[in-house]
Amino acid sequence: MAAPLAYAARTAYSLIATDLDGTLLRGDDTFSDRSLDALARVAAAGARHLVVTGRPAPRVRPLLDRLHSRGLAVCGQGAQLYDAGANRLLWSVTLDRELAETALGKIEAEAGQVYAAVDQDGVDGLTLIEPGYEMPHPTLPALRVASRDDLWCEPISKVLLRHPALSDDELAATARSVVGSLATVTMSGPGTVELQPCGITKATGLALAAEHLGVGPEETVAFGDMPNDIPMFVWAGHGVAMANAHPELKALADEVTTSNEDDGVAVVLERLYP
């Protein structure tokens, strides 16, 4: 559907689902005071805020602390449902390591060498990067290993890919054309094409979290900026794309707000919770 610049929405929703990078977070990995104030309005109105992010649980925990969140969070592109208060995963799905290696082989047979990283499963899982892989987000901690074989030493939730020449869109399209049912291919940010368990998306984790909270899709408004947010928009009653969002997401959104740097989430929440 078309994405209008303004939308006469209902006055409130029971669940506010927000992506982090490029959406609620600013480029320097901080939350603006305006965004925090808007989320306080949401809480005062009795609604819930749910983080739905591609970051794995260990990389989300410090951000949830800054949000004073002790509830649920959807992490790892929907493969993890994390309970921040208990610091445990209520649910998780891992990517079979043999399938991941096979998928990588198929991608490289089509596109040439790629560089890979993995997020390990669990609340203390590490991000491992092979030689040649550069973290697109330098503030995220990662451990460089000696070879690709070392990536598979523990169960993983996803594989992250970078190509020395192809754009993110080109790499994602190539991966989708050859991976088939081995994994789900997503694009979650600049320099971030990912392989995750087949059939798992942000909507998977969002729907599970909403069920735990007793909330339905029609009571949910979702905010995002990248194609990995598309399943979440399809599931939710209302989808809000950031001004800096990928064109694919904007085309599907119910409305487009201002950018993450211009408090786009807060702009909408201030309207919904005056």
Side-chain angles (χ1 to χ4, degrees):
M1 66 187 78
L5 294 177
Y7 183 85
R10 56 190 287 182
T11 57
Y13 290 83
S14 299
L15 184 62
I16 309 302
T18 66
D19 174 45
L20 288 177
D21 295 286
T23 301
L24 187 61
L25 273 175
R26 296 184 291 194
D28 61 359
D29 250 16
T30 63
F31 302 108
S32 71
D33 289 340
R34 184 177 179 184
S35 293
L36 294 176
D37 289 344
L39 291 174
R41 290 192 191 198
V42 169
R48 308 282 192 110
H49 171 226
L50 179 72
V51 164
V52 185
T53 178
R55 295 193 187 202
R59 307 288 88 81
V60 177
R61 189 163 54 227
L63 298 174
L64 295 176
D65 288 342
R66 282 189 245 162
L67 292 170
H68 305 292
S69 175
R70 298 293 180 267
L72 300 180
V74 176
C75 307
Q77 302 293 10
Q80 298 175 329
L81 183 59
Y82 176 60
D83 182 338
N87 188 32
R88 67 187 182 100
L89 293 176
L90 300 182
W91 179 83
S92 68
V93 180
T94 57
L95 175 59
D96 183 273
R97 285 166 279 180
E98 290 187 7
L99 293 182
E101 285 190 277
T102 301
L104 275 175
K106 286 180 173 291
I107 294 167
E108 290 189 317
E110 185 71 21
Q113 183 177 15
V114 298
Y115 298 107
V118 300
D119 284 335
Q120 294 178 334
D121 190 41
V123 296
D124 296 313
L126 302 172
T127 297
L128 305 181
I129 58 178
E130 72 172 347
Y133 185 93
E134 298 297 331
M135 289 292 290
H137 206 308
T139 64
L140 295 178
L143 178 65
R144 192 171 296 280
V145 295
S147 69
R148 180 170 292 180
D149 288 343
D150 296 324
L151 297 178
W152 322 117
C153 61
E154 298 288 343
I156 61 172
S157 60
K158 64 180 178 180
V159 179
L160 301 91
L161 306 176
R162 302 198 75 173
H163 193 280
L166 295 181
S167 69
D168 297 333
D169 287 292
E170 290 169 336
L171 178 57
T174 299
R176 290 190 186 102
S177 72
V178 298
V179 164
S181 62
L182 294 173
T184 294
V185 179
T186 60
M187 182 169 54
S188 62
T192 313
V193 174
E194 303 178 358
L195 305 178
Q196 59 198 74
C198 186
I200 298 297
T201 68
K202 281 191 174 185
T204 309
L206 174 55
L208 187 60
E211 182 180 358
H212 274 262
L213 298 172
V215 176
E218 71 284 353
E219 302 171 82
T220 304
V221 57
F223 294 81
D225 72 308
M226 291 299 289
N228 64 322
D229 296 312
I230 288 175
M232 182 167 69
F233 277 30
V234 171
W235 185 88
H238 189 70
V240 183
M242 313 304 291
N244 51 286
H246 190 283
E248 287 184 25
L249 189 69
K250 285 184 176 179
L252 185 73
D254 295 296
E255 68 171 299
V256 178
T257 184
T258 56
S259 73
N260 62 317
E261 298 293 345
D262 294 320
D263 301 309
V265 173
V267 168
V268 176
L269 294 182
E270 288 164 358
R271 185 189 77 223
L272 295 178
Y273 302 88

